Amino acid sequence: MELNRVYLDNAATTPVKPEILDSMLDFYKEGYGNPSSIHSFGREVKSHIDIARENVANLLNASAKEIYFTGGGSEADNWAIKGIALRYMNQDKHIITTEIEHHAVLDTCKYLEKNHGFKVTYLKIKENGIIDIEEFKSAITKDTILTSIMFANNEIGTIQPIKEIGAICRENNIVFHTDAVQAVGNVHIDVKDMNIDMLSLSGHKIYAPKGVGALYIRNGIRLDNLIHGGGQERKKRAGTENVAGIVALGKACEIANKGLDEHISKLTALRDDLISRIQAVIPHTIVTGDLEKRLPSIASFCFKFIEGEALLLSLDLVGIAGSSGSACTSGSLDPSHVLMALGLTHEVAHGSLRLSLSDFTTKEEIDYVVEKLPPIVERLRNMSPLYEDFLKGEK
Ligand SMILES: *Cc1c(COP(=O)(O)O)cnc(C)c1O
């Protein structure tokens, strides 16, 4: 079988679904009115933003007035954390997060710690990629104002015990924010049932375009603004709305909501098939993160004795797009903070591969990967001095 290209990097970004693209095109043509305007051009556009807000809210079991549109997931994370922190500047207050957050959360916390006198606890994870609830409880102090723990990890797909964390935060009067950028549209989320106070999501991880996202802020949570200016988003987030993007995000949430059970069962089956077949045919493979408490969309591995970058390049040559956990974007050779937090050695973490699935992923594509990947790993291993040493040691 020959496939031209197999895209398995959906955790980096998803393709835009055709019906979502269609929903936005009108707003680049006729629907150009400014939603803040009094006239009919503006009012019509505004009504579509209202519909989008309803659709986002419905997916989370929130109410529409608790949804605020942003310029993406990173802005939502920054706003949630800084918006609370700004209320407590220089008061020695304490924030709890984890070692495996996305950099939008991690670097925001580090910034507040370094520049504004906050204390931050970075919770470790167990070897399955999940935090220890007891450790979380004992990290809480009388000064803890905020907990920010991701719903699901973008590299290894592990899902945190969000409902439990939420209940503990509620009991202790701590605001609970979760970065759910990877989780939204891939798992069932109910902000009320899960005691979530703030939740970040992003368009381009759920088949809408890049540059649009949202922050859910529970009614009653008081948050400073991050962006000041006009009175958009009920005076909470200034700037003329990215109308087409917002409409697309609303459509994406509507579609996700309708097909969620089907999406979950389809992707879970494909993911498990991929993981078990790869594990069966490639020796010295570690599946990173818990096998059960993981997103249906993410399969993640470390292959001992190889370099993730070389693996990605070889996969790319046969048309397969995956990703490594390493921080290759920063030009650094350090393996990712997530894989390090799992307790893997540098050598093992270097051989990481994340394959992330979407609604468009097919059984044929999984078969193709299972056919192409093993000989590539084998070839790279045969070039590896580490592997040679290992084989000598075995004799
Ligand atoms: C992609 C991602 C973000 C950032 O979202 P953008 O819309 O790209 O800014 C934040 N958190 C997680 C977990 C992500 O996967």
Side-chain angles (χ1 to χ4, degrees), residues 72-74 77 102 150 154 179 181-182 202 204-205:
S74 298
D77 285 340
H102 188 274
M150 70 198 322
N154 46 302
D179 174 344
V181 170
Q182 291 289 339
S202 173
H204 75 103
K205 307 287 173 78

Side-chain angles (χ1 to χ4, degrees), residues 308-322:
E309 250 102 295
L311 179 59
L312 288 182
L313 291 173
S314 301
L315 285 172
D316 190 43
L317 287 176
V318 295
I320 298 169

Side-chain angles (χ1 to χ4, degrees), residues 53-54 57-58 61-67 191-192 216 219:
R53 205 183 301 282
E54 285 286 345
N58 287 342
N61 193 28
S63 78
K65 60 181 193 312
E66 295 172 312
I67 304 298
V191 290
K192 291 200 176 72
Y216 152 79
N219 193 19

